Amino acid sequence: MQPFELLRETMPPFHHEEFVRPDIATMEPYVPIVPFEVLSARLGRRPEDIVKLDANENPYGPSPKVLSALADAKYLHIYPDPQSSALRRALADYTGVPQERLLAGAGADELIDLVLRAVLRPGDGVLNCPPSFGMYPFSTAVNMGELIQVWRRADFALDVDGICSAVFANPRARILFICSPNNPDGGVISDEALRQLLEMRVLVILDEAYVEFGGESRITWTPQYENLVVLRTFSKWAGLAGLRVGYGAFPLWLMPHLWKIKQPYNVSVAASLAAIAALHDAAWSRRHIGAIVAERERLQKALAKFEFLEPLPSRANFVLCRIIGADAARLKSDLEQQGILVRYFDKPGLQNAIRISAGRPQDTDRLLSVLKAWKGS
Ligand SMILES: *Cc1c(COP(=O)(O)O)cnc(C)c1O
């Protein structure tokens, strides 16, 4: 062994430029969401005076049973159960899928990343059907996958034949993301189309973040297919977006590998308690999901009456609107000045459009009164 003094002479200097992975160094930065309190301060309004219809959150917040479970939490100083056993037992009852196929995560977002980490080698193909959820391309890039885009049709229907051709043309395609109801349009995939896609030699990740608001869940299909993952979340229907808790149903062959690579304490004690309490308050969920669906229908009909809006049919808790003969960016910023937040899109396949979450009746009322007064063109 050489003394350090000698080694030091020959040691090359530290160059930080060589440390970050080149694909990460050149990656476009993620445009961060402005925190709600910051935005409300900027708009000169109190947070409770803002009508927040931009992120598909539940405007009613969580069930009172969730709040009391959190208030009564006794073990916040103890690390959580790495297996989330109590939550997975409750989820097995709720979904009808056996516990050994279920894994909980810090939101469905974590599980998207986790599956890709387990499966992808650098350069493996991930099929995405845009316009859809932005986390699929994001996690694909972080995990060194190659994104294969199969665009939806103008009415947002999946191009099933196009997906099949893309799988055949790309021997390294491994993963196919399907979101149903799809974010941002709210359309659902048919049983027939899903069955056809499941015949291919790729792992299909069906994202059902919005399924409580409409459409049939296919989570009970998971024991029948070796290549189906179904992801769900508490963020939307249960009003727990801020606590970060989601789950998935996976094929048995994948489970041991996911257990190995997941962070041991990925689901916090608070998130687990809240999720279990939400599952136990079925009456509350039924009532509030019902109210949100009713409001989506009302919003949809009311928006269709404006000649500059073209709302699409939706089975989720939001309505996507094309803007006709007016500027969607201006509409978004004019609404914002009035304290109403909506999601604005101007990306390929989604030009001049806004997505409006279904809120409470008073939220729709405020939105409609501003729209009625709006001079867009
Ligand atoms: C909101 C959303 C999710 C994820 O939610 P988490 O908060 O990470 O559980 C997943 N998929 C889609 C399509 C979503 O819109």
Side-chain angles (χ1 to χ4, degrees):
M1 260 232 299
Q2 299 201 43
F4 185 67
E5 277 65 33
L6 276 177
L7 282 173
R8 180 189 277 147
E9 302 291 304
T10 56
M11 186 108 60
F14 178 87
H15 285 306
H16 70 86
E17 295 85 352
E18 295 163 8
F19 274 75
V20 176
R21 242 166 56 191
D23 59 302
I24 291 180
T26 56
M27 195 181 274
E28 290 287 321
Y30 187 74
V31 183
I33 305 217
V34 184
F36 187 42
E37 315 82 66
V38 175
L39 189 62
S40 53
R42 196 185 291 170
L43 294 172
R45 290 171 192 271
R46 291 177 307 165
E48 57 274 26
D49 292 336
I50 295 215
V51 174
K52 192 173 184 319
L53 306 177
D54 60 343
N56 306 335
E57 291 132 337
N58 189 324
Y60 297 101
S63 134
K65 289 197 177 154
V66 167
L67 300 179
S68 59
L70 291 173
D72 297 344
K74 284 195 188 65
Y75 296 107
L76 294 180
H77 58 300
I78 305 288
Y79 281 108
D81 169 14
Q83 302 193 356
S84 298
S85 304
L87 173 56
R88 286 166 53 241
R89 265 197 304 279
L91 284 169
D93 284 342
Y94 176 65
T95 61
V97 173
Q99 218 187 122
E100 67 260 28
R101 292 179 178 274
L102 298 173
L103 194 73
D109 287 352
E110 189 202 12
L111 299 172
I112 292 171
D113 178 69
L114 194 68
V115 180
L116 295 187
R117 279 205 276 152
V119 169
L120 292 186
R121 295 139 187 83
D124 275 351
V126 175
L127 289 124
N128 181 42
C129 305
S132 197
F133 188 45
M135 288 307 284
Y136 314 145
F138 169 81
S139 288
T140 298
V142 171
N143 289 289
M144 301 181 93
E146 277 298 313
L147 198 65
I148 304 166
Q149 304 271 51
V150 182
W151 291 84
R152 288 168 181 263
R153 302 180 194 286
D155 65 352
F156 294 91
L158 284 166
D159 176 5
V160 174
D161 293 340
I163 296 169
C164 295
S165 317
V167 172
F168 279 92
N170 290 279
R172 295 195 64 187
R174 285 188 185 271
I175 302 264
L176 164 61
F177 278 107
I178 299 288
C179 187
S180 179
N182 187 43
N183 182 0
D185 62 287
V188 298
I189 186 174
S190 70
D191 280 358
E192 188 196 3
L194 183 58
R195 287 223 161 80
Q196 185 180 333
L197 296 174
L198 284 164
E199 281 178 43
M200 298 189 302
R201 42 137 206 93
V202 287
L203 184 64
V204 177
I205 303 182
L206 180 67
D207 183 341
E208 294 191 334
Y210 298 100
V211 80
E212 280 82 1
F213 300 106
E216 285 279 301
S217 174
R218 275 66 169 243
I219 199 164
T220 54
W221 291 22
T222 47
Q224 296 150 39
Y225 287 94
E226 268 208 325
N227 62 336
L228 175 62
V229 169
V230 175
L231 300 181
R232 307 267 293 263
T233 178
F234 288 85
S235 293
K236 312 294 166 40
W237 69 273
L240 299 183
L243 275 175
R244 313 305 303 127
V245 53
Y247 60 100
F250 300 87
L252 285 179
W253 57 265
L254 186 54
M255 290 298 290
H257 309 295
L258 298 176
W259 282 120
K260 279 183 283 185
I261 65 170
K262 94 171 181 64
Q263 295 275 344
Y265 307 124
N266 58 333
V267 183
S268 74
V269 170
S272 261
L273 287 173
I276 292 167
L279 291 173
H280 286 161
D281 200 354
W284 182 93
S285 309
R286 240 192 328 273
R287 198 162 63 247
H288 289 83
I289 291 170
I292 290 168
V293 169
E295 208 52 28
R296 173 193 75 206
E297 294 301 302
R298 177 181 163 226
L299 179 66
Q300 161 88 40
K301 286 198 189 77
L303 294 173
K305 298 206 173 104
F306 294 89
E307 81 260 16
F308 59 94
L309 298 178
E310 192 183 277
L312 281 99
S314 166
R315 310 293 299 274
N317 64 340
F318 50 80
V319 176
L320 183 68
C321 258
R322 289 202 173 91
I323 311 300
I324 313 293
D327 182 15
R330 217 181 107 208
L331 176 56
K332 180 222 151 82
S333 73
D334 289 352
L335 287 170
E336 195 171 288
Q337 290 313 310
Q338 302 295 318
I340 300 168
L341 309 183
V342 299
R343 179 70 192 269
Y344 162 67
F345 294 104
D346 191 23
K347 51 184 190 183
L350 209 55
Q351 249 105 35
N352 212 36
I354 58 170
R355 190 196 62 200
I356 307 172
S357 308
R360 298 159 300 177
Q362 64 268 36
D363 300 330
T364 310
D365 293 345
R366 248 179 81 185
L367 171 73
L368 294 175
S369 76
V370 174
L371 285 175
K372 277 177 191 143
W374 192 60
K375 305 271 184 296
S377 38

